[in-house]
């Protein structure tokens, strides 16, 4: 998928709504070759999905060795049957203090007082820094089943059924 196709998918209004949320699912392959999918907090920078983690988290070592990942952000019942799927490669950087996007996500998802209390507690917790995991999309697809944005195979079945 070329950069313009990725940009077009991510620019869909429903995709933008999903990118403005704070919880996604990250899929990656662990050392024994089996897949793992975990819920993660994230922040969309406009170019990358950024996830923060403790430097001691197992995913930090795993993603450093095997950076190919997939991210899915699902709509809830209120937003309908929508999902954004992204594939890419993760880069891991250890930063001093808190990951900036981690703080931004907290401030976006909490009221001001709660967010400041959360950030202060995080500063006490992550004294050894944090891992900033940045995923640059190499493929993206936005599905909105209610609006007819279906996976290609399903669209072909619907069209054939006529």
């Amino acid at each position: 998928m070329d950069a313009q196709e990725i940009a077009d998918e991510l620019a869909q209004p429903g995709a933008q709504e999903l990118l403005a949320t704070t919880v996604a699912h990250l899929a990656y392959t662990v050392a024994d070759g089996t897949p793992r999918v975990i819920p993660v907090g994230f922040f969309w920078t406009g170019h990358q999905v950024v996830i923060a983690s403790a430097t001691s988290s197992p995913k930090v070592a795993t993603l450093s060795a095997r950076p190919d990942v997939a991210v899915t952000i699902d709509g809830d019942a209120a937003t309908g049957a929508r999902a954004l799927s992204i594939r890419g490669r993760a880069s891991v950087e250890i930063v001093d203090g808190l990951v900036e996007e981690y703080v931004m996500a907290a401030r976006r998802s909490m009221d001001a007082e709660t967010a400041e209390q959360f950030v202060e507690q995080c500063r006490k917790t992550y004294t050894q820094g944090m891992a900033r995991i940045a995923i640059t999309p190499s493929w993206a697809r936005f599905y909105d089943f209610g609006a007819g944005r279906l996976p290609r195979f399903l669209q072909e079945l619907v069209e054939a059924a006529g």
Side-chain angles (χ1 to χ4, degrees):
M1 184 173 249
D2 70 31
Q4 187 58 55
E5 290 173 304
I6 294 168
D8 290 346
E9 286 295 314
L10 297 175
Q12 294 294 319
Q16 287 294 299
E17 289 175 25
L18 292 173
L19 288 166
T21 64
T22 57
V23 178
H25 290 90
L26 174 67
Y28 56 97
T29 306
V30 296
D32 67 4
T34 59
R36 175 149 309 146
V37 178
I38 59 171
V40 293
F42 79 96
F43 187 87
W44 173 247
T45 68
H47 302 286
Q48 293 179 315
V49 173
V50 176
I51 299 163
S53 187
T55 58
S56 58
S57 168
K59 71 179 160 284
V60 171
T62 299
L63 295 175
S64 295
R66 284 172 295 291
D68 292 323
V69 299
V71 175
T72 298
I73 308 164
D74 301 311
D76 59 24
T79 63
R82 300 185 309 168
L84 178 60
S85 293
I86 296 171
R87 295 181 209 147
R89 291 179 68 84
S91 64
V92 179
E93 173 189 8
I94 306 303
V95 300
D96 290 331
L98 302 180
V99 171
E100 180 181 341
E101 293 89 352
Y102 185 71
V103 173
M104 293 166 63
R107 290 184 174 142
R108 182 173 67 191
S109 65
M110 302 174 193
D111 66 68
E113 182 179 340
T114 303
E116 289 314 310
Q117 291 171 353
F118 175 78
V119 169
E120 186 56 36
Q121 182 60 46
C122 288
R123 283 190 170 84
K124 294 175 185 175
T125 302
Y126 295 102
T127 58
Q128 302 300 310
M130 291 185 89
R132 181 182 185 273
I133 302 164
I135 300 160
T136 302
S138 59
W139 182 93
R141 186 73 70 216
F142 171 63
Y143 301 109
D144 186 341
F145 291 85
R149 283 186 65 90
L150 307 173
R152 184 171 294 132
F153 78 92
L154 189 52
Q155 183 64 42
E156 290 169 357
L157 286 173
V158 169
E159 290 169 3

